[in-house]
Amino acid sequence: MNKINIEHILPMVTKPARYTGGEINSVSKDIPSTGVRIALAFPDVYEIGMSHLGLKILYEILNDLPDVAAERVYAPWLDMEERLRNEGIPLFGLESKTPLSEFDVIGFSLQYELSYTNVLNMLQLSNIPLLSKERDEKHPLIIAGGPCSLNPEPLADFIDIFCIGEAEELIVEIVSTVKSHRDKSRHEMLLALSQIESVYVPSFYSVDYHQDGSIKGFIPQVEGVPLRIKRRVVDLEQQRASIKPIVPFIEIAHDRAGLEIQRGCGRGCRFCQAGFIYRPLRERSLNTLLKQSQQIIKETGYEELSLGSLSSTDYPDILDLVKGIERCFGRKLAISLPSLRLNSLVTEVSAILSRIKKTGLTIAPEAGTKRLSCVINKDVLDYCLPAIIKDAYHQGWKTVKLYFMIGLPTETWEDIEGIVSLVNSVRYGKKQLKISIASFVPKSHTPFQWEAQESIVQLREKLDYIKRQFQRCRWITITWNDPATSFLEAVFARGDRRLGQVLLYALEQGCKFDAWSEYFKFSVWMDAFKRAGISPEFYTDRKSGKIFEDHLPWDHIDTGVNKEYLIKEAKRAYEGVTTDACQIGKCKQCGACETEIQEDAVRQTPVATYLPPSARGVVEGRQIRVRLKYTKGKEVSFVSHLDMLRMFMRSLSRAGIPIAYSSGYSPHPRLSFGHPLSVGVMSQEEFLDIELEMPMNLDELIIRLNEVLPVGIKISDAVFIASNAGALTAIVDFIRYQVDGYGIISLDDITSFMNKTEVVVQRKRKDTIKQVNIREFVRGIEVRNTECGMRNAEFQLMMEIKTTNSGTGKPEEVVHALCPDASITSCIRIAQCCEVNGRILSPMEIRV
């Protein structure tokens, strides 16, 4: 395998730790040549992809197999992509830095239609042909799964196989087949894969169209492939959770541990694709979740745990679960519920959560009137939302967030006024209220899959009206999706194979990161549709009296929910008739359950056997402070100061160190660093002060911490310090650095620099430029090589930089003041020094 070296470009890109790998719990494996290497690809930036629970689960499942190595790859940000293209460096797996083209399988997670151009861009960056028909045995197999694969047709020209449904078992069967057919032709391998239930090979099928552009038929072209592809459904209780997820160095979108408490939803909100494609509703047992919650916090050290599901308060044992987690972790762990469905439990759950670390309370009414709530089959307004939110504020919640949707079927201006009225009714003084507004997008496999989408002009008119009503309310924050992006989302959500050409044209014109408003190019997309001879409105506006008879682009995908049930629900929507949740009364006969339940279910709540961690006594009235000394190596040199702080907080938790916590609204560990280290700089001597809540043997502390710290960080010493010992930033007077590089730096240059009283440089911070005299910070410079003065000489400088109340200097600034054209190859912090009565001491020697 070829290994790519990217160290020289990391200093030139934002957030270089996106590309370094080596995070806590990441896996690097050597497997035999007969094994399978798979790259799990997420077509968005690292911070978004690392937040996705599904890929975390698959990563652990695959890496537990002895002959499989799973790595990760995310869409590089624009600055990194530019560097890769300019230097001819292909996209690579994070763990081994191997080019993606050398993997056996690349598996894309399709979570959002506006990521499709990123899928193609990642293939292009990997030097892999975009069209599946142009790939052969020497290329990786390109697979895709996730909710967007339930309408796979817009990507049919590019993806070799789609995984339809839940992948925990399916992905194992796929890699096993790939391994056993690696010496076969690509056609033979695809044919073998097509025989696996829930695998769809689009190249084995063709599509016929009517004169008006609608689909006439979907025709298998290879003997033995299924007419319809059935969605895979797993037994959730028997499937592993992501107990040992990778803990990133940098902050990500959902920077917390996540447990899936249940999968699916029985509520049947008619606009919600997830509520139908993840049926039937399945739950993990209370005891399983309590055990898993302790395991995942032990393995990650996270300070927040998200209890994930489509409707967390529908979990039958939600109160016992939250109470059990609170009993185990107390106020040191925040618990978040992604979205609360209004029911009788909301006030009780929020009351329990308010006693521990608070995150935010999120509720999704969606509609503003009772009539429209019935249309979409959501009973939120059956509960007193103003009273519930008032209770939440009284319990100490600082922020409440409400989700609404505009453009829903049958919506009128009265419903828009209803949103405004509902928001006004829940306002409580000047407490913070966040409102999120999304435009309705008709999705496949839902009762609203036949609905037309309102025009961009109509949606913007409604959106602007709502925003105007609250423009003077500073305590109300409104966020929204651009209706133009929702329009494009609807096109691809209901699209067919003909959109593949549009994707190619859009990519050619630079479309990528379309989900990011600052990079969304609507006019370019419209040009791509025009060039392809396709009207996007064909997919968004299409609705007729015989719409239920149309052959839809995704009709060959069998989610388990039968089409007749969806038609029935679509008709009930226009009648304003609601349908009870699956949990209420008899089975609704949607087809998702293998055995229909005819009688009311009576649940037996299991008796919880809690496994509380070992008790930790608190030493009242006494501070136990410890100073740690550690090294920061090349492997983590691009991890920023704030990211190092988060990493140490979580490592202390993982190591079981009895760290003391602050009191107040959001308790946090008591620890403090010394002077920040610039990104890209290594160090032989860094320091960290922590406070313990009970005494601990320091040798044991060092051993336990080193066992859980990432490669590149190592604790070398620890000492107790007095409770009144000075802060690290206050006691360190100067820092020694070793700087290596290339450039012409003579002894005369150094002497001239030291004889000056002012050497002014410019420092840029966001939108401001500050003039800084760096000469006052330089204590001394020493040359350590014999080539100084020679053209293109290799230099090594030792310098001492003062730290003062007014600031400090940066080694790179000193080097470039000596030689503007100098190139720095490495910078190492050698020592941090304290001057005490004429003596130079280490911070480890100053304990009082």
Side-chain angles (χ1 to χ4, degrees):
M1 293 188 304
N2 297 314
K3 185 174 181 179
I4 294 171
N5 183 4
I6 59 168
E7 291 176 8
H8 62 293
I9 61 177
L10 290 177
M12 306 173 191
V13 301
T14 56
K15 299 186 180 180
R18 289 168 170 163
Y19 314 105
T20 58
E23 309 98 323
I24 292 170
N25 293 336
S26 61
V27 179
S28 294
K29 290 176 68 175
D30 289 324
I31 59 171
S33 58
T34 55
V36 176
R37 305 190 70 85
I38 178 170
L40 298 175
F42 198 94
D44 210 324
V45 73
Y46 177 95
E47 293 94 310
I48 304 298
M50 276 294 292
S51 300
H52 184 244
L53 182 59
L55 281 190
K56 296 177 184 180
I57 294 171
L58 298 183
Y59 183 86
E60 293 181 46
I61 288 173
L62 290 167
N63 279 316
D64 275 353
L65 301 175
D67 54 353
V68 176
E71 300 192 23
R72 297 161 293 141
V73 61
Y74 307 96
W77 195 240
L78 301 181
D79 56 353
M80 183 63 165
E81 179 185 338
E82 182 181 7
R83 294 287 174 183
L84 294 177
R85 289 190 183 277
N86 288 345
E87 301 201 21
I89 299 174
L91 200 55
F92 51 86
L94 281 188
E95 280 72 9
S96 67
K97 304 299 182 294
T98 301
L100 288 195
S101 59
E102 297 185 18
F103 281 77
D104 299 298
V105 181
I106 300 174
F108 284 96
S109 177
L110 304 178
Q111 300 297 314
Y112 187 32
E113 289 84 357
L114 295 194
S115 69
Y116 289 174
T117 50
N118 277 10
V119 172
L120 303 190
N121 193 47
M122 291 172 72
L123 290 175
Q124 192 177 75
L125 285 169
S126 307
N127 299 322
I128 296 171
L130 300 184
L131 297 172
S132 59
K133 65 183 180 182
E134 295 179 358
R135 297 192 288 265
D136 56 28
E137 288 78 8
K138 67 176 179 289
H139 297 115
L141 183 75
I142 308 301
I143 72 176
C148 290
S149 66
L150 274 296
N151 177 20
E153 293 308 292
L155 288 175
D157 290 340
F158 312 106
I159 304 299
D160 294 319
I161 71 167
F162 287 92
C163 304
I164 306 300
E166 297 163 5
E168 288 97 329
E169 298 169 352
L170 185 55
I171 192 67
V172 176
E173 297 170 25
I174 288 172
V175 295
S176 176
T177 302
V178 169
K179 181 182 177 182
S180 63
H181 286 73
R182 66 187 316 142
D183 295 328
K184 305 289 185 181
S185 69
R186 197 170 189 85
H187 178 82
E188 289 175 302
M189 179 182 287
L190 291 175
L191 188 59
L193 289 166
S194 72
Q195 302 306 303
I196 300 174
E197 184 181 74
S198 307
V199 166
Y200 170 49
V201 183
S203 62
F204 286 173
Y205 301 81
S206 65
V207 184
D208 283 347
Y209 298 91
H210 289 294
Q211 194 70 29
D212 65 354
S214 61
I215 293 177
K216 183 178 181 181
F218 185 80
I219 307 161
Q221 297 297 302
V222 175
E223 186 178 349
V225 297
L227 290 174
R228 300 191 75 208
I229 296 86
K230 185 178 180 181
R231 178 178 67 96
R232 182 69 66 96
V233 179
V234 300
D235 182 341
L236 186 63
E237 179 71 7
Q238 300 303 316
Q239 297 300 319
R240 66 176 297 160
S242 177
I243 295 302
K244 199 174 181 179
I246 297 170
V247 183
F249 289 130
I250 67 174
E251 187 174 10
I252 59 176
H254 301 299
D255 204 11
R256 52 184 177 251
L259 274 183
E260 186 183 22
I261 63 176
Q262 61 184 11
R263 187 176 296 177
C265 179
R267 291 288 172 177
C269 299
R270 291 168 178 142
F271 61 86
C272 180
Q273 186 186 52
F276 287 91
I277 66 172
Y278 291 118
R279 289 191 176 199
L281 175 63
R282 289 146 291 158
E283 305 147 1
R284 281 198 167 104
S285 70
L286 174 62
N287 288 331
T288 295
L289 291 170
L290 288 170
K291 293 174 184 177
Q292 289 177 349
S293 68
Q294 294 182 71
Q295 291 173 317
I296 195 169
I297 298 304
K298 178 183 177 181
E299 295 290 353
T300 64
Y302 272 117
E303 56 283 340
E304 182 180 342
L305 176 64
S306 174
L307 303 179
S309 80
L310 295 175
S311 181
S312 299
T313 47
D314 278 343
Y315 179 68
D317 301 317
I318 188 64
L319 288 177
D320 287 336
L321 177 59
V322 173
K323 288 176 183 177
I325 295 173
E326 180 196 19
R327 184 181 302 178
C328 290
F329 298 99
R331 298 178 68 249
K332 297 178 182 179
L333 182 72
I335 301 174
S336 63
L337 303 176
S339 181
L340 295 179
R341 183 182 183 88
L342 285 187
N343 58 28
S344 58
L345 293 177
V346 168
T347 300
E348 288 185 74
V349 172
S350 63
I352 297 171
L353 297 181
S354 71
R355 298 199 298 261
I356 56 182
K357 290 179 70 174
K358 301 174 185 67
T359 52
L361 199 61
T362 302
I363 299 172
E366 308 294 0
T369 63
K370 174 65 175 176
R371 184 201 69 82
L372 193 54
S373 293
C374 291
V375 170
I376 65 176
N377 202 43
K378 195 154 191 178
D379 62 355
V380 168
L381 298 187
D382 289 345
Y383 300 89
C384 186
L385 183 61
I388 289 173
I389 291 179
K390 183 178 179 179
D391 285 343
Y393 285 132
H394 281 162
Q395 292 161 1
W397 295 93
K398 301 298 183 183
T399 302
V400 173
K401 186 172 185 178
L402 301 179
Y403 282 100
F404 291 98
M405 193 174 288
I406 60 174
L408 287 162
T410 79
E411 183 180 80
T412 66
W413 275 98
E414 184 179 339
D415 300 305
I416 299 300
E417 289 285 0
I419 293 176
V420 175
S421 298
L422 187 58
V423 172
N424 281 323
S425 73
V426 301
R427 285 167 55 181
Y428 186 67
K430 293 188 178 181
K431 295 288 187 180
Q432 291 297 309
L433 184 63
K434 295 183 178 181
I435 309 298
S436 178
I437 303 174
S439 298
F440 166 69
V441 175
K443 295 280 188 171
S444 63
H445 305 289
T446 70
F448 287 167
Q449 66 182 354
W450 295 279
E451 294 296 326
Q453 185 185 48
E454 285 194 352
S455 70
I456 295 174
V457 172
Q458 290 173 303
L459 292 170
R460 282 181 175 160
E461 184 181 1
K462 293 177 178 180
L463 184 60
D464 290 342
Y465 175 79
I466 295 172
K467 289 191 290 181
R468 284 197 303 271
Q469 307 313 303
F470 303 109
Q471 60 186 359
R472 295 185 179 180
C473 300
R474 289 176 295 175
W475 49 92
I476 295 180
T477 303
I478 300 180
T479 57
W480 61 90
N481 292 338
D482 182 356
T485 63
S486 298
F487 171 78
L488 191 64
E489 180 185 349
V491 171
F492 284 98
R494 303 212 302 179
D496 53 41
R497 291 191 181 193
R498 291 170 294 188
L499 293 179
Q501 191 61 57
V502 178
L503 284 169
L504 286 174
Y505 288 150
L507 178 69
E508 184 181 307
Q509 295 302 312
C511 288
K512 54 195 162 190
F513 286 106
D514 299 297
W516 296 71
S517 58
E518 60 268 43
Y519 300 113
F520 180 60
K521 304 173 182 178
F522 185 68
S523 61
V524 175
W525 273 104
M526 293 305 100
D527 288 342
F529 280 104
K530 184 176 181 181
R531 185 179 170 190
I534 292 176
S535 169
E537 288 80 11
F538 173 82
Y539 301 101
T540 60
D541 294 353
R542 183 173 175 78
K543 183 176 181 180
S544 68
K546 296 183 178 180
I547 196 70
F548 293 139
E549 300 173 13
D550 280 358
H551 191 119
L552 301 174
W554 51 87
D555 274 351
H556 56 294
I557 303 298
D558 178 9
T559 66
V561 178
N562 59 62
K563 196 171 184 178
E564 291 72 23
Y565 179 79
L566 296 179
I567 293 173
K568 174 184 172 184
E569 282 296 293
K571 292 178 178 178
R572 287 170 70 89
Y574 279 89
E575 296 167 0
V577 178
T578 59
T579 300
D580 286 338
C582 294
Q583 302 95 310
I584 301 173
K586 295 182 179 180
C587 179
K588 308 306 179 291
Q589 307 290 325
C590 73
C593 296
E594 291 185 1
T595 56
E596 304 293 359
I597 304 170
Q598 299 299 332
E599 302 298 328
D600 294 358
V602 179
R603 286 194 100 262
Q604 296 294 329
T605 302
V607 177
T609 54
Y610 301 113
L611 302 173
S614 57
R616 295 176 178 172
V618 178
V619 182
E620 299 290 344
R622 179 185 172 195
Q623 287 183 325
I624 305 171
R625 297 183 65 199
V626 176
R627 179 159 293 160
L628 304 176
K629 177 181 176 182
Y630 66 92
T631 57
K632 183 179 181 182
K634 184 178 182 180
E635 299 87 347
V636 290
S637 61
F638 288 97
V639 179
S640 72
H641 179 70
L642 288 177
D643 293 329
M644 285 289 291
L645 172 63
R646 275 190 294 271
M647 185 275 296
F648 261 105
M649 288 169 56
R650 292 163 183 170
S651 294
L652 287 163
S653 175
R654 294 176 66 231
I657 306 301
I659 191 82
Y661 278 72
S662 65
S663 57
Y665 172 72
S666 182
H668 58 271
R670 292 188 178 275
L671 69 164
S672 60
F673 283 89
H675 293 279
L677 194 64
S678 297
V679 173
V681 178
M682 296 172 282
S683 179
Q684 296 178 0
E685 197 171 87
E686 291 297 291
F687 300 94
L688 169 66
D689 289 348
I690 64 174
E691 185 177 326
L692 304 179
E693 64 178 12
M694 61 188 301
M696 183 177 184
N697 179 277
L698 294 186
D699 289 335
E700 181 186 356
L701 184 151
I702 292 172
I703 292 171
R704 284 162 66 173
L705 258 182
N706 281 333
E707 286 177 347
V708 300
L709 285 167
V711 175
I713 301 289
K714 186 174 183 180
I715 309 293
S716 59
D717 198 6
V719 295
F720 289 109
I721 58 175
S723 60
N724 63 347
L728 286 164
T729 51
I731 64 174
V732 172
D733 295 295
F734 65 91
I735 300 175
R736 291 189 178 124
Y737 292 93
Q738 174 184 307
V739 185
D740 293 82
Y742 293 91
I744 303 173
I745 300 177
S746 67
L747 292 173
D748 290 341
D749 293 329
I750 295 173
T751 301
S752 174
F753 179 94
M754 295 302 296
N755 286 338
K756 294 177 181 178
T757 57
E758 279 195 353
V759 177
V760 178
V761 300
Q762 291 185 342
R763 288 183 183 172
K764 294 182 180 180
R765 284 192 174 181
K766 293 184 178 179
D767 299 327
T768 62
I769 297 177
K770 184 180 180 181
Q771 304 285 335
V772 179
N773 176 20
I774 62 170
R775 175 61 190 87
E776 65 177 321
F777 299 124
V778 180
R779 191 172 184 269
I781 306 174
E782 179 184 346
V783 179
R784 283 288 181 90
N785 72 331
T786 59
E787 297 182 1
C788 280
M790 296 177 60
R791 186 172 181 81
N792 295 325
E794 183 176 353
F795 65 78
Q796 183 178 96
L797 301 178
M798 304 296 294
M799 60 181 72
E800 294 180 348
I801 306 292
K802 298 177 186 177
T803 61
T804 69
N805 292 332
S806 61
T808 186
K810 299 180 180 180
E812 61 269 27
E813 293 174 336
V814 177
V815 170
H816 290 128
L818 293 170
C819 176
D821 297 326
S823 173
I824 298 174
T825 55
S826 76
C827 182
I828 304 174
R829 183 181 278 184
I830 300 297
Q832 300 188 48
C833 304
C834 313
E835 290 188 270
V836 181
N837 299 325
R839 298 173 60 205
I840 305 300
L841 302 177
S842 163
M844 302 298 282
E845 299 176 279
I846 301 178
R847 306 183 187 183
V848 295

